Amino acid sequence: MTEPVRVAITGAAGQISYSLAFRIAAGDMLGKDQPVILQLLEIPPAMDALKGVVMELNDCAFPLLAGIEATDNPEVAFKDADFALLVGARPRGPGMERADLLQANAAIFSVQGKALNDHASRDVRVLVVGNPANTNALIARENAPDLDHRQFTAMMRLDHNRALSQLAEKTGKSINTIDNMVVWGNHSATQYPDLHQCTVDGQPAMSLVDQAWYENDFIPTVQQRGAAIIKARGASSAASAASAAIDHMRDWALGSDGWVSMGIPSDGSYGVEPGIVYSYPVVCKNGDYEIVQDLEINAFSRERMKTTEDELRSERAAVEDLLG
Ligand code: NAX
């Protein structure tokens, strides 16, 4: 019998987790022969709701679910965790400025970074979903000096999957004919979904669409997709966000089928400021990820990659005092 792995999820009574926890317990993230122990973190006012989630998880009688811990203490939630999905975050309240939001989340993610540093498995893989995801990942990592920076990543996979879906729809081809999709930068409206490297059925994507559609339709649709879903559903993306989180962790642990986009600590590749958590095209194998190097970047792409980098630099500047 394979030993269970420990998967911590924060914001476990929230709407993303209501899909995420169940799919992980069903084996969608780590495979149908890998038992999991879920370690669920919430804040005290949400502990009753979390009890309900635990009751439902039990009622699914998942064969792979080897245990559940529900707690409001990060040190308990992250104890020996092999995977940590940091979903819980402070939402923007009425009248809250962007800087206030960054600060409120910085307070949460610095505590969680310390708890991961002191209690998680030394090989823990961390995915930050809670917004502003890239900068929250930076804060958590700066508060975890005993772990490697590369263990802290931010979720760009939903943006990547949205880009795949828009292109598949436009070209009338299925998702699995598309290769080399890239989303650069920040999980925000400045992100840059780039089709210049992308192919559909082996043909360059840019030869199949016109520049006007690319600039005026594709890029803004992907950038604004979160807002469009809130408008339509009256609530933000949840099942698709959970699915993207599962894709991200599965590929990181088990290997990707080609290129995927991940928010990772910049090593200066493509001239991006080192240290900020920037989305790059990566290939995952042997439990690790590597940036796809030596891509040709034209002036159009360079300008957009810089805009999203500048936003991440300014986010970092706004939380400088909490960086460990
Ligand atoms: P919900 O508000 O439904 O759930 C968040 C949960 O987190 C709540 O139950 C809350 O009690 C809990 N929480 C707050 N502070 C906490 C703390 N310090 N420790 C533990 N739990 C805490 O939000 P949901 O729709 O699930 O979204 C969660 C986060 O994901 C938000 O920040 C959202 O902006 C972000 N998203 C990020 C995406 C990405 O691609 N990176 C896409 C989807 C989503 O918008």
Side-chain angles (χ1 to χ4, degrees), residues 10-17 41-43 46 87-91 108 112 128-131 133 155-156 158-159 162 187 236-238 241:
T10 77
Q15 53 148 6
I16 292 176
S17 296
L41 181 69
E42 260 297 348
I43 49 176
V87 181
R90 175 83 186 273
I108 294 172
Q112 295 188 355
V128 177
V129 175
N131 279 319
M155 188 162 95
M156 296 298 293
L158 181 54
D159 309 290
R162 287 166 171 166
H187 171 69
S236 57
S237 322

Side-chain angles (χ1 to χ4, degrees), residues 8-62:
I9 304 176
T10 77
Q15 53 148 6
I16 292 176
S17 296
Y18 196 61
S19 172
L20 183 63
F22 293 80
R23 289 195 53 196
I24 293 174
D28 288 357
M29 187 169 95
L30 297 169
K32 301 289 181 193
D33 52 5
Q34 177 58 65
V36 293
I37 296 172
L38 293 180
Q39 304 188 160
L40 307 176
L41 181 69
E42 260 297 348
I43 49 176
M47 287 307 285
D48 274 343
L50 184 57
K51 264 188 210 146
V53 173
V54 171
M55 286 158 77
E56 284 205 76
L57 281 164
N58 284 325
D59 291 350
C60 291
F62 288 119

Side-chain angles (χ1 to χ4, degrees), residues 89-102 105 131:
R90 175 83 186 273
R92 195 174 197 145
M96 208 170 172
E97 295 295 330
R98 188 180 163 73
D100 302 333
L101 183 74
L102 278 160
N105 278 296
N131 279 319

